[in-house]
Amino acid sequence: MTVFNTGFPSIRQIQNFIKNKTPVEIGLITNQSEKGIILWQDQNCFCLQNNNKEKILIWTQSLAYVKSK
């Protein structure tokens, strides 16, 4: 089982996005992107809520980038 290490800067940055409800753009390795706010993260996934209030589960393995908007 993978340990969720909050000591990593990348984990802390995502936690700040969640805490501050920062709008983000998430780029995927498929060259698609999604925009919204990250509701939560765990060691495997992010939950992104888009502008239509749809909740999208995104596996961390599919991430190319996450940037604030």
Side-chain angles (χ1 to χ4, degrees):
M1 184 166 135
T2 304
V3 176
F4 189 64
N5 189 342
T6 57
F8 289 135
S10 59
I11 302 293
R12 288 194 312 268
Q13 181 65 57
I14 298 298
Q15 291 295 309
N16 281 329
F17 288 158
I18 294 167
K19 178 182 167 186
N20 298 322
K21 296 182 177 12
T22 304
V24 296
E25 178 180 337
I26 294 181
L28 305 174
I29 59 174
T30 59
N31 291 326
Q32 295 172 294
S33 66
E34 296 288 342
K35 295 178 184 170
I37 59 168
I38 301 172
L39 299 178
W40 55 262
Q41 76 176 136
D42 63 22
Q43 66 268 18
N44 297 313
C45 297
F46 292 89
C47 183
L48 183 78
Q49 182 173 315
N50 66 16
N51 294 334
N52 296 327
K53 304 294 185 202
E54 297 171 319
K55 293 178 182 172
I56 304 167
L57 255 174
I58 300 173
W59 290 88
T60 55
Q61 300 144 321
S62 66
L63 291 176
Y65 65 86
V66 177
K67 67 177 180 178
S68 61
K69 293 304 289 173

